Amino acid sequence: MRHAAIDIGTNSVRLLVAEENGGAMQALDRQLQTTRLGSGLMSCGVLPVQGKERTQEAVAAFVLRAKELKAEKISIFATSALREAEDGAAFAVQLEEAINNSVEIISAQTEARYSYLGVIKSLGEQDRLVFDLGGGSCELIWPDGDSLAYLSLKIGAVYLTDVFFQQDPPDAGEVDKARRYITECLQKNSFDLKPLAGVGGTVTSLAAMAQKLAVYDPAKVHGYALTRAEIKSQLKKMLALPVAERGMLPGIRKDRAPILPAGTLVIDVLLDICQAESLTVSEGDILLGALYANASA
């Protein structure tokens, strides 16, 4: 049986189509479209018109692609941007009417569960502290007895860029304010210090940059041990460059270049707080977790 999942995020819309075989999911197609749905959300409280238009076009195209690949079940879900926007629920209804498919605005708890499930299904059942760094928020998830504990923190890459980074490249004062805010958000919460695994576009981009991949290769990114030294080196390099030049660095998608320094700053602070020398990068993420969760639903 073939399944598809579409994730409507703050920065992008993503598609994963997979074949279920013996209880395992084998990826058939992955696609991503940058839509900037949550850009400016903090200043006005509503979703930008152009962001909604780009998102609707991307979701419609991905539904068509899933049907072309004969997916029997298409799960479409939205995360923090639609949870927080005043018009988030109304936009979900608009999408449902346009594509003739249900769109679920999932809770932070469900988002955390999907992300953790995606990681353990792809990296193995090891006891881990998983972080999923998105555009609007960052989820920290870890096993707590027979259940999962999680935190959802307002330190997403798009959010931080919009709030703190006005200069191009960001100046030292902006970076310092952002670092202090991230540190406060993480330190005022408690979480188990376990081996770190990371998912999300910032993490996978850093793994690609560390390996100087001219063409993105999921096989080389998945399972990569990204060191604290590599993260600090890439952050220093990116903060010295304007967006146009940053987007030319090997391993960076040009459409991710504007928000990558803010996301990298989060990971840098997290590793410092955890006193971790490295993290494991996972290609298996919320999309894969959603497929497994919904396949048995």
Side-chain angles (χ1 to χ4, degrees):
M1 183 175 180
R2 292 187 174 183
H3 304 263
I6 297 173
D7 170 22
I8 303 170
T10 302
N11 188 59
S12 62
V13 176
R14 299 183 304 131
L15 165 72
L16 174 61
V17 182
E19 179 114 41
E20 184 181 6
N21 189 356
M25 295 289 178
Q26 181 178 359
L28 300 175
D29 193 21
R30 301 175 186 267
Q31 294 192 27
L32 178 150
Q33 183 66 46
T34 299
T35 57
R36 297 280 195 272
L37 180 62
S39 181
L41 180 59
M42 278 305 299
S43 61
C44 62
V46 296
L47 301 168
V49 173
Q50 290 186 330
K52 289 193 288 187
E53 291 174 350
R54 288 190 293 264
T55 297
Q56 183 167 318
E57 290 174 2
V59 172
F62 288 170
V63 168
L64 181 60
R65 177 58 177 160
K67 290 179 178 178
E68 288 175 351
L69 292 174
K70 303 190 185 310
E72 297 176 49
K73 188 173 184 179
I74 304 174
S75 302
I76 306 175
F77 58 91
T79 53
S80 64
L82 266 69
R83 281 200 302 265
E84 297 169 10
E86 295 173 13
D87 56 343
F91 181 53
V93 172
Q94 177 184 321
L95 284 175
E96 289 179 332
E97 293 174 348
I99 62 176
N100 194 30
N101 198 102
S102 63
V103 175
E104 181 184 7
I105 302 175
I106 61 174
S107 66
Q109 182 178 21
T110 298
E111 184 175 357
R113 180 169 62 89
Y114 285 176
S115 295
Y116 193 84
L117 184 58
V119 170
I120 64 170
K121 287 293 187 181
S122 56
L123 287 179
E125 296 279 351
Q126 181 181 344
D127 203 14
R128 302 178 187 274
L129 171 60
V130 171
F131 70 92
D132 182 350
L133 178 56
S137 64
C138 178
E139 279 64 48
L140 299 174
I141 318 108
W142 65 97
D144 183 20
D146 294 330
S147 61
L148 288 177
Y150 78 97
L151 293 169
S152 183
L153 305 176
K154 197 65 182 171
I155 50 174
V158 173
Y159 172 80
L160 293 172
T161 301
D162 284 350
V163 172
F164 292 101
F165 293 170
Q166 307 304 317
Q167 304 300 315
D168 182 26
D171 63 35
E174 292 175 332
V175 174
D176 183 61
K177 286 180 181 178
R179 182 180 289 276
R180 282 190 277 114
Y181 169 78
I182 296 164
T183 302
E184 289 170 5
C185 285
L186 288 167
Q187 286 186 335
K188 71 181 180 182
N189 291 283
S190 60
F191 47 89
D192 283 4
L193 299 181
K194 301 175 183 291
L196 278 168
V199 297
T202 299
V203 182
T204 54
S205 294
L206 287 171
M209 292 171 67
Q211 299 175 80
K212 296 182 171 59
L213 299 181
V215 178
Y216 188 84
D217 185 347
K220 291 183 178 179
V221 168
H222 182 65
Y224 184 78
L226 185 63
T227 68
R228 194 199 301 200
E230 287 172 328
I231 292 165
K232 290 185 179 297
S233 173
Q234 297 297 348
L235 179 60
K236 182 178 180 180
K237 187 183 301 182
M238 287 188 288
L239 287 174
L241 297 174
V243 170
E245 294 179 35
R246 194 185 307 149
M248 298 175 67
L249 293 173
I252 293 185
R253 285 175 55 105
K254 289 184 179 180
D255 54 6
R256 184 166 289 278
I259 64 170
L260 202 51
T264 304
L265 192 59
V266 173
I267 300 172
D268 183 41
V269 173
L270 178 61
L271 263 69
D272 284 349
I273 289 175
C274 293
Q275 297 183 333
E277 291 304 319
S278 67
L279 65 92
T280 303
V281 179
S282 176
E283 275 283 326
D285 58 10
I286 189 172
L287 280 170
L288 182 63
L291 288 185
Y292 276 105
N294 292 316
S296 57

